[in-house]
Amino acid sequence: MIIDGSYGEGGGQILRTSLSLAAITGKPLQINRIRAGREKPGLAAQHLTAVRAAAAICHAQVKGDALGSMTLEFVPGNFVQAGSYTFDVSEALPGGSAGALALVLQTILLPLALADGDSEVTLRGGTHVSHSPSITYIEQVYLPMLQQMGVQAEVELKAWGWYPRGGGEVKLLIRGGSISGINLVERGDLVGVRGLAVVTELPSHIPQRMAMRAENLLREAQLKANVQPLRAKGVAPGAGLFLTAEYENTLAGFGALGRLGLAAETVASIACEEMLRFHATGAALDEHLADQLLLPAALASEKSEYQVAVVSRHLKTNAWVIEQFELAQVTVDEVEKKVAIAPVIKQTIK
């Protein structure tokens, strides 16, 4: 199997989806021009850790697993093995890294969920960093939605890790089983919005200001909201606001990270504006979840269909990767903003 890493949006999702499917199917994989669409192409610390994690769970032989590498050969050596694993993004880069551990998590989660037996995975690195799902999003939105598809997994945040220090840690528990399809064309009414305004190594008034601003903005939009301020322990200063919108049939998540010079109220406004834009679409899935549910739907035992807020380039690229492995047919209706996934018979899955 040869995958062009520059296809479509040319980012790390091509690598992660390819690694997951290579581990599951046992198909040898070669990826060329990895992350060619990025300012710094090739494998960064979090991508390199994802490669090594995928290799560990299926005893793969790997060539090209080095920082900056744009070509990778990955040959699975065995069935995916459930068990206890530890993967640390900081070990991939001299001096450490705050690379997103959620990206490593998403690479190995589904292979382990389809394996025989239970797994416990310790992940270290960045837990809440830009351009990647936060662990709060994973915990509050992604995993609960996967549970609707039969995937039994839970994550526990042990330590917060922000850019640029990292130092975060999570425990991931996965019970092996099977995956069922999902139908989310209608999201239903909004039940409510819950949120977390959190800081580490910063004064307690900052999360209180973020929480108050978020609740006020959402109340003005006539939405029920409960945002809890939290001053947590961490190895370095960090701040963020994370919102989860609960609808009758689905969940959606939004967030914003603080940085030096950005007022607490502005952080809250960014997250709330993102949430309100999504709410106005009437769609079932937010932009990120629309992409993230493609792979489990492709591995499910029956068809799936869902409506999305945005047909992103990311989503279309991920659909292309899945179809290269001939495990499912993905149909994207850009007018109706609906995605249909029809899995094929899983005779090729190890």
Side-chain angles (χ1 to χ4, degrees):
M1 174 69 62
I2 299 176
I3 298 291
D4 179 4
S6 70
Y7 182 87
E9 55 91 28
Q13 183 65 64
I14 296 175
L15 173 74
R16 292 189 294 277
T17 297
S18 297
L19 289 170
S20 295
L21 289 177
I24 289 168
T25 64
K27 291 183 177 180
L29 172 68
Q30 178 178 318
I31 311 179
N32 301 318
R33 302 172 67 189
I34 296 170
R35 298 183 66 247
R38 296 296 183 258
E39 183 178 346
K40 294 182 179 179
L43 298 176
Q46 61 270 30
H47 309 108
L48 180 55
T49 307
V51 170
R52 292 173 176 171
I57 65 174
C58 66
H59 303 286
Q61 294 182 338
V62 184
K63 293 182 180 178
D65 54 331
L67 287 171
S69 175
M70 294 186 67
T71 301
L72 182 76
E73 293 182 14
F74 185 94
V75 182
N78 207 335
F79 298 102
V80 173
Q81 301 290 311
S84 296
Y85 299 95
T86 298
F87 304 113
D88 190 339
V89 178
S90 67
E91 292 179 353
L93 185 69
S97 170
L101 58 81
L103 302 181
V104 182
L105 180 153
Q106 289 187 323
T107 303
I108 61 173
L109 173 60
L110 294 175
L112 289 173
L114 289 170
D116 292 331
D118 301 342
S119 297
E120 180 177 315
V121 184
T122 299
L123 295 162
R124 300 189 181 102
T127 60
H128 296 76
V129 295
S130 60
H131 307 300
S132 64
S134 71
I135 287 300
T136 303
Y137 184 92
I138 296 291
E139 179 185 27
Q140 297 290 325
V141 178
Y142 179 65
L143 292 184
M145 293 304 297
L146 285 187
Q147 287 174 7
Q148 291 191 28
M149 304 177 74
V151 177
Q152 298 301 310
E154 57 190 64
V155 67
E156 180 182 0
L157 176 60
K158 294 289 190 178
W160 295 76
W162 315 87
Y163 180 84
R165 281 286 298 276
E169 180 176 312
V170 302
K171 293 282 188 181
L172 173 67
L173 302 177
I174 308 167
R175 286 175 282 283
S178 60
I179 303 175
S180 56
I182 195 167
N183 190 308
L184 284 173
V185 176
E186 300 290 339
R187 72 184 185 192
D189 293 334
L190 180 67
V191 177
V193 181
R194 60 181 181 271
L196 182 66
V198 61
V199 300
T200 59
E201 302 300 310
L202 290 171
S204 58
H205 69 83
I206 295 177
Q208 292 170 354
R209 287 162 52 201
M210 286 193 293
M212 184 177 299
R213 177 61 173 164
E215 287 191 345
N216 288 340
L217 286 172
L218 295 173
R219 192 177 299 115
E220 288 173 8
Q222 299 183 325
L223 301 182
K224 299 177 183 178
N226 182 13
V227 182
Q228 295 295 321
L230 173 67
R231 188 171 185 268
K233 293 181 179 179
V235 299
L241 181 96
F242 309 97
L243 300 173
T244 300
E246 181 182 356
Y247 296 90
E248 288 179 318
N249 302 322
T250 187
L251 297 164
F254 314 91
L257 300 173
R259 64 177 184 271
L260 192 64
L262 192 66
E265 290 78 10
T266 304
V267 175
S269 296
I270 293 170
C272 289
E273 287 167 8
E274 185 182 353
M275 191 256 143
L276 292 172
R277 280 195 300 270
F278 168 77
H279 183 68
T281 68
L285 298 186
D286 67 60
E287 177 180 348
H288 305 296
L289 196 60
D291 170 49
Q292 293 167 9
L293 290 190
L294 274 181
L295 185 53
L299 297 167
S301 54
E302 60 268 324
K303 296 180 180 180
S304 295
E305 183 180 18
Y306 50 77
Q307 185 189 38
V308 303
V310 177
V311 176
S312 66
R313 197 177 182 197
H314 216 272
L315 184 152
K316 291 189 287 186
T317 301
N318 205 17
W320 173 82
V321 176
I322 289 168
E323 290 195 322
Q324 302 312 294
F325 282 82
E326 300 179 338
L327 289 180
Q329 180 181 0
V330 182
T331 304
V332 180
D333 186 333
E334 297 195 47
V335 177
E336 297 292 330
K337 295 184 179 178
K338 289 183 180 179
V339 180
I341 305 98
V344 299
I345 298 173
K346 302 298 190 300
Q347 293 175 344
T348 54
I349 292 184
K350 294 177 68 177

